């Protein structure tokens, strides 16, 4: 079963902020939330990850609710090049050594329009 | 710096042939993952290496699939007696040592079985 729930698609106007929601109500205390995106014909690209605090880097911001049951990825100023499938992933922990395989869902297809 | 490199970029084979797909991870990355991505779906985990040790091969769909990383760097995914359902994009990812280090993906090999 998928551990995250995302809307199948979203449209966003160029230059505006894009807010991508993700529900992960069964997340465990030691599981991180990761975001990747995949542009057509390319491999997934790492965006950001976090545990419980909000995180920001040069690409995006990640807002995690206090109960950690949901999060939002924010692209502050969307461009046409941000059109991609965005995946919200909870890191699977199989053993104390944490192999860390990623379990992808269907993601959200984001289309940025001029 | 150089990212994860995969070759060939495209591979067409006839059903029943054997194929070999190569992955050159980022230099110094300890962990290496293989994923399979069917058309219109998210990537699915195949196998994981830590240096030269294959620690998880639970995602390999059958005994026709074999992966190796003999010197802890370059990895090869081999598929024997290919079948049409093996048609997919095969993605390789690597990450440095550390439980929550993000994985960095190559652009994949698109395999088509005729």
């Amino acid at each position: 079963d998928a551990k995250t729930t995302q809307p199948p698609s979203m449209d966003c106007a160029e230059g505006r902020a894009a807010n991508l929601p993700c529900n992960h109500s069964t997340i465990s205390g030691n599981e991180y939330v990761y975001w990747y995106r995949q542009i057509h014909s390319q491999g997934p690209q790492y965006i950001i990850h976090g545990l419980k605090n909000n995180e920001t880097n040069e690409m995006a911001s990640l807002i995690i609710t206090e109960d950690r049951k949901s999060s939002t990825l924010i692209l502050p100023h969307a461009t046409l090049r941000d059109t991609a499938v965005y995946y919200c992933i909870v890191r699977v922990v199989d053993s104390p050594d944490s192999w860390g395989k990623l379990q992808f869902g269907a993601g959200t297809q984001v289309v940025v329009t001029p | 710096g150089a990212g994860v490199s995969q070759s060939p970029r495209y591979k067409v084979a006839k059903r029943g042939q054997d194929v070999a797909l190569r992955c050159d991870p980022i230099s110094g990355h300890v962990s290496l993952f293989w994923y399979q991505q069917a058309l219109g779906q998210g990537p699915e985990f195949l196998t994981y290496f830590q240096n030269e040790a294959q620690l998880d091969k639970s995602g390999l769909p059958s005994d026709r699939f074999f992966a190796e990383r003999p010197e802890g760097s370059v990895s090869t995914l081999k598929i024997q007696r290919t079948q049409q359902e093996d048609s997919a994009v095969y993605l390789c990812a690597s990450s440095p040592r550390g439980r929550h280090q993000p994985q960095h993906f190559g652009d994949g090999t698109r395999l088509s079985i005729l």
Side-chain angles (χ1 to χ4, degrees), chain B residues 2-4 24-32 49-51 69 71-74 94-98 101 104:
Chain B
V4 176
D24 283 84
I26 294 172
S27 178
H29 278 194
V30 169
S31 299
L32 186 146
F49 289 86
Q50 187 175 90
N51 295 308
R69 193 186 185 197
E71 298 180 356
S73 177
V74 171
S94 69
S95 65
R97 186 179 301 276
Q101 292 289 337
H104 300 273

Side-chain angles (χ1 to χ4, degrees), chain A residues 71-91:
Chain A
S71 61
T72 300
L73 179 74
I74 302 173
L75 307 178
H77 304 287
T79 71
L80 299 180
R81 289 174 296 180
D82 291 324
T83 292
V85 177
Y86 287 76
Y87 296 100
C88 169
I89 301 166
V90 169
R91 183 73 167 258

Side-chain angles (χ1 to χ4, degrees), chain A residues 26-33 50-52 67-68 90 93, chain B residues 100:
Chain A
T26 61
I27 193 169
S28 300
N30 62 348
E31 290 183 310
Y32 281 64
V33 179
L51 181 62
K52 55 183 178 181
D67 63 8
R68 302 211 323 123
V90 169
V93 178
Chain B
H100 301 289

Side-chain angles (χ1 to χ4, degrees), chain A residues 7-24:
Chain A
S9 64
M10 284 182 59
D11 291 338
C12 178
E14 186 179 19
R16 304 292 295 270
N19 297 298
L20 282 61
C22 179
N23 288 323
H24 32 78

Side-chain angles (χ1 to χ4, degrees), chain A residues 37-45 81-86, chain B residues 107:
Chain A
R37 72 180 184 184
Q38 189 170 25
I39 296 169
H40 183 63
S41 296
Q42 297 182 19
Q45 177 189 22
R81 289 174 296 180
D82 291 324
T83 292
V85 177
Y86 287 76
Chain B
D107 285 336

Side-chain angles (χ1 to χ4, degrees), chain A residues 30-32 34 36 38 40-46 49 87 91 93-106, chain B residues 9-10 31 33 35 37 41-45 48 50 55-56 58 91 95 98-108 110:
Chain A
N30 62 348
E31 290 183 310
Y32 281 64
Y34 287 77
Y36 283 77
Q38 189 170 25
H40 183 63
S41 296
Q42 297 182 19
Q45 177 189 22
Y46 165 76
H49 74 285
Y87 296 100
R91 183 73 167 258
V93 178
D94 286 337
S95 77
D97 289 331
S98 182
W99 307 144
K101 63 188 178 187
L102 298 174
Q103 186 174 354
F104 290 81
Chain B
R9 189 78 170 87
Y10 303 92
S31 299
F33 301 79
Y35 293 83
Q37 186 171 24
Q41 299 181 21
E44 292 192 0
F45 169 79
Y48 163 68
Q50 187 175 90
L55 299 183
D56 187 348
S58 62
L91 296 160
S95 65
R99 290 185 63 185
H100 301 289
Q101 292 289 337
Q103 296 174 29
H104 300 273
F105 284 79
D107 285 336
R110 181 175 297 276

